[in-house]
Amino acid sequence: MLKLAPSILSADFACLLEDMQKIARGGADYIHVDVMDGHFVPNISFGAPVMKALNGKTSLPYDVHLMIEAPDQYIDSFVTPQTAYITVHQEACVHLHRTIQNIHAKGVKAGVAINPATPVSSLECILEDVDLVLVMSVNPGFGGQKFIPSALEKVKTLAEIKRAKGLSFAIEIDGGITLDNAKAVMEAGVEIAVAGSAVFGAADVSQCVSDFKAIR
Ligand code: DX5
Ligand code: ZN
């Protein structure tokens, strides 16, 4: 079954708690927290205080996606009892192995993300150490962009490596995911789908989450 991580980036910030309760009611698996610094990506979103304001308001775990430079110095601030994953970008980490170790040292699962122009082969030496690989299917920075189909090939490659080497990382996809393409990404090997505008732009947010969760 496909797990769904609705992205808070597309929620109504004036009614954030209500929106979180709607996705919880629909059966979402995670809250995807998109953090942007205006340097690694050409946009600024929000930081840990916003995420922490939701602590305890729903039981949904956080799937934190750091689209920031030098993420090591901010890892601590995203560690909460609800933080399941902290994912950093391969392109933003000179010492990626150290960063993954730093996340694990906080008792949190560690993920690595790759941009559309970054090949799966760049992860060869880190796949054994991560709990999640996030394949970006848009160029990070904004919600509501169009899905880039070459991401599907990357997912298939990762699924094949995972099977062949008996590894345990989860495969996640992020960007342009809708009810129309969710089945195809699941069949390619995606285990966790991020969806922002498709969920929070729906007339009935809870129903939309349920519809994603009904995909078989
Ligand atoms: C893009 C973010 C995504 C984005 C997804 O930089 O990482 O999580 O919010 O939004 P949609 O689903 O609208 O493409
Ligand atoms: Zn994201």
Side-chain angles (χ1 to χ4, degrees):
M1 191 201 283
L2 188 64
K3 290 186 178 170
L4 187 70
S7 168
I8 205 176
L9 186 67
S10 296
D12 180 351
F13 291 165
C15 310
L16 202 45
L17 178 55
E18 278 171 44
D19 271 0
M20 294 310 99
Q21 289 164 337
K22 284 180 191 170
I23 62 168
R25 273 202 301 279
D29 296 279
Y30 299 97
I31 296 176
H32 185 77
V33 179
D34 278 315
V35 181
M36 304 177 180
D37 66 353
H39 293 278
F40 180 68
V41 290
N43 196 11
I44 297 174
S45 58
F46 49 77
V50 172
M51 183 190 82
K52 285 179 175 166
L54 295 169
N55 270 357
K57 301 286 198 300
T58 74
S59 57
L60 291 179
Y62 299 130
D63 171 35
V64 180
H65 179 192
L66 296 182
M67 287 163 276
I68 64 176
E69 288 177 1
D72 293 75
Q73 55 187 302
Y74 300 102
I75 286 165
D76 272 356
S77 60
F78 290 95
V79 176
T80 75
Q82 275 179 254
T83 307
Y85 291 104
I86 294 180
T87 294
V88 295
H89 268 262
Q90 186 271 354
E91 305 86 356
C93 297
V94 178
H95 302 289
L96 179 59
H97 188 273
R98 177 183 288 147
T99 305
I100 297 298
Q101 282 183 320
N102 287 344
I103 297 170
H104 281 151
K106 303 294 172 191
V108 174
K109 288 191 262 186
V112 62
I114 49 172
N115 284 336
T118 304
V120 169
S121 58
S122 68
L123 301 179
E124 185 183 344
C125 299
I126 201 73
L127 287 178
E128 288 181 11
D129 300 291
V130 295
D131 304 290
L132 178 140
V133 176
L134 170 50
V135 176
M136 288 304 303
S137 39
V138 298
N139 287 293
F142 305 92
Q145 301 181 81
K146 202 167 168 295
F147 182 80
I148 297 172
S150 57
L152 274 183
E153 286 310 310
K154 291 189 189 178
V155 168
K156 288 179 191 164
T157 303
L158 278 165
E160 178 52 29
I161 295 171
K162 179 176 168 173
R163 192 198 57 75
K165 295 193 170 177
L167 298 175
S168 59
F169 60 83
I171 303 175
E172 182 174 47
I173 199 160
D174 184 3
I177 300 300
T178 66
L179 282 167
D180 291 331
N181 61 20
K183 189 174 168 68
V185 302
M186 185 179 74
E187 286 173 350
V190 167
E191 293 152 298
I192 307 172
V194 176
S197 49
V199 168
F200 292 106
D204 185 333
V205 169
S206 300
Q207 185 58 48
C208 181
V209 172
S210 305
D211 292 345
F212 268 104
K213 294 295 299 178
I215 292 168
R216 294 285 183 274

